[in-house]
Amino acid sequence: MGSNQTWITEVILLGFQVDPKLEVFLFAFFLLFYSLTVMGNRLILGFIWLDPRLHTPMYFFLSNLAIVDMSYASSIVPKMLANLIMETKTISFAPCLLQTFLYLALAVTECMRLVVMSYDQYVAICHPLHYTVVMSWRIFTVLAATCWIFSFLLALVHITLILRLPFCGPQKINHFFCQIMSVFRLACADTRLNQIVLFAGSVFVLVGPLCLVLVSYMHILLAILRIRSKEGRRKAFSTCSSHLCEVGLFFGSAIVMYLAPKSSHSQEQRKILSLFYGLFNPMLNPQIYSLSLMNRDAKSLKKILVK
């Protein structure tokens, strides 16, 4: 590095770059969505914790998903809200990297959770007699621990590769949080290795699991069509359609974000995509999937609400 280059100590998050009056509206809008995200997922955790009949492996992963969604949104949204109402939109470099690490780790964790939950649906519908053996508490605990450990190790690999780079500017990030590809642009060195590892990791984490989910649901669909009871088919389709909706929202936005060519969408479109899977998707999850699953235990939930 030349003598006229300095290390970055803080970064300016440019955010949405709109009129100040519109920033106040965006603050109220995003605050509402964030509040709904936290309240919706806390309700799920409360229902599961209060009713012993919901202490099953399926609801165990459901509660894990709620924790991941709340943590995922909380790693991004509070700083975004603060920058919308503050004149100085800066973040220190160390917290910026921490934000990058957390959102990467939690995003991968959610991806792995969706795969495990689709496998749970497959076993429950296609092999119901073997469900208690195949999906025992021991197996569920191992799967849960594997999801968390693998996700944080993969995020650690990306952060380690980032820390090897010299950061001397520019000091501005054209985003509302420290998104990893925006962090690459702060480096005054070749980032091709980082980009290759990110692309390979995205393929491994997104394309592979999505294929597993689709294969699981092909078998599930065939099994549902063999169910003679109309009520049984309706319940099975209701549960599976909710999960598929969530899978489509999460994987679709993430694949467009990380695997589509850079020229296919602008930086502003990338911000919207990041908002979609960082804020809107965690807010929708309790509605389109979790609460739908719990309809099968509506009587117990009514008792909880009465209490």
Side-chain angles (χ1 to χ4, degrees):
M1 295 175 61
S3 59
N4 62 336
Q5 293 176 325
T6 58
W7 287 89
I8 293 175
T9 57
E10 64 178 16
V11 177
I12 300 172
L13 296 172
L14 297 180
F16 297 97
Q17 303 180 60
V18 295
D19 186 82
K21 294 181 179 179
L22 185 57
E23 284 187 336
V24 176
F25 169 76
L26 290 177
F27 172 83
F29 182 71
F30 294 145
L31 179 61
L32 174 63
F33 274 67
Y34 179 61
S35 301
L36 292 174
T37 299
V38 174
M39 287 190 297
N41 286 287
R42 281 187 175 181
L43 279 174
I44 298 302
L45 291 173
F47 285 147
I48 295 173
W49 182 72
L50 288 172
D51 192 344
R53 285 172 292 185
L54 299 182
H55 296 173
T56 62
M58 179 185 69
Y59 290 108
F60 168 74
F61 261 104
L62 199 54
S63 62
N64 269 253
L65 188 62
I67 293 172
V68 171
D69 282 338
M70 283 193 297
S71 303
Y72 191 39
S74 298
S75 69
I76 297 173
V77 179
K79 184 60 180 177
M80 178 185 69
L81 293 175
N83 285 344
L84 284 171
I85 58 174
M86 294 176 63
E87 292 185 5
T88 57
K89 306 179 186 299
T90 60
I91 181 173
S92 299
F93 191 62
C96 180
L97 290 182
L98 178 61
Q99 190 181 59
T100 304
F101 172 77
L102 288 176
Y103 107 87
L104 281 174
L106 293 168
V108 176
T109 302
E110 179 156 358
C111 179
M112 297 295 102
R113 288 274 185 272
L114 293 176
V115 175
V116 174
M117 293 172 78
S118 68
Y119 179 67
D120 174 72
Q121 294 288 327
Y122 164 75
V123 177
I125 295 175
C126 298
H127 304 284
L129 299 178
H130 300 90
Y131 181 81
T132 55
V133 177
V134 176
M135 303 302 286
S136 63
W137 272 110
R138 180 182 177 182
I139 294 175
F140 260 75
T141 304
V142 171
L143 289 174
T146 302
C147 289
W148 284 104
I149 294 171
F150 171 78
S151 302
F152 276 80
L153 286 177
L154 183 60
L156 186 61
V157 169
H158 289 299
I159 294 300
T160 302
L161 290 175
I162 288 175
L163 289 174
R164 58 179 278 277
L165 298 171
F167 288 94
C168 50
Q171 199 173 353
K172 297 179 180 179
I173 288 181
N174 187 15
H175 217 297
F176 57 85
F177 76 107
C178 294
Q179 201 264 350
I180 186 168
M181 289 185 289
S182 298
V183 173
F184 289 165
R185 299 188 182 97
L186 300 177
C188 49
D190 189 0
T191 61
R192 280 181 294 182
L193 175 61
N194 299 73
Q195 294 176 21
I196 291 172
V197 173
L198 178 63
F199 181 81
S202 300
V203 172
F204 180 76
V205 170
L206 295 174
V207 178
L210 180 59
C211 292
L212 292 175
V213 171
L214 294 178
V215 169
S216 296
Y217 273 93
M218 285 178 60
H219 288 88
I220 290 172
L221 179 60
L222 294 175
I224 291 175
L225 294 176
R226 290 195 294 265
I227 298 176
R228 296 182 180 181
S229 169
K230 290 184 179 180
E231 182 66 17
R233 284 199 301 268
R234 186 191 66 80
K235 288 184 178 180
F237 269 120
S238 175
T239 299
C240 295
S241 61
S242 299
H243 188 219
L244 277 176
C245 188
E246 180 189 0
V247 168
L249 289 172
F250 179 83
F251 281 94
S253 56
I255 287 174
V256 171
M257 184 71 183
Y258 291 102
L259 298 183
K262 291 182 180 180
S263 59
S264 62
H265 41 269
S266 66
Q267 183 63 24
E268 297 304 314
Q269 290 173 320
R270 288 178 179 272
K271 293 177 187 178
I272 295 173
L273 284 171
S274 298
L275 265 179
F276 197 85
Y277 68 79
L279 177 59
F280 299 151
N281 199 46
M283 183 202 68
L284 292 173
N285 281 351
Q287 302 175 43
I288 66 175
Y289 179 64
S290 304
L291 294 179
S292 175
L293 270 179
M294 289 185 175
N295 283 337
R296 294 184 296 182
D297 299 282
K299 293 182 179 179
S300 61
L301 293 182
K302 288 180 181 178
K303 292 180 180 179
I304 293 174
L305 291 174
V306 169
K307 292 180 182 179

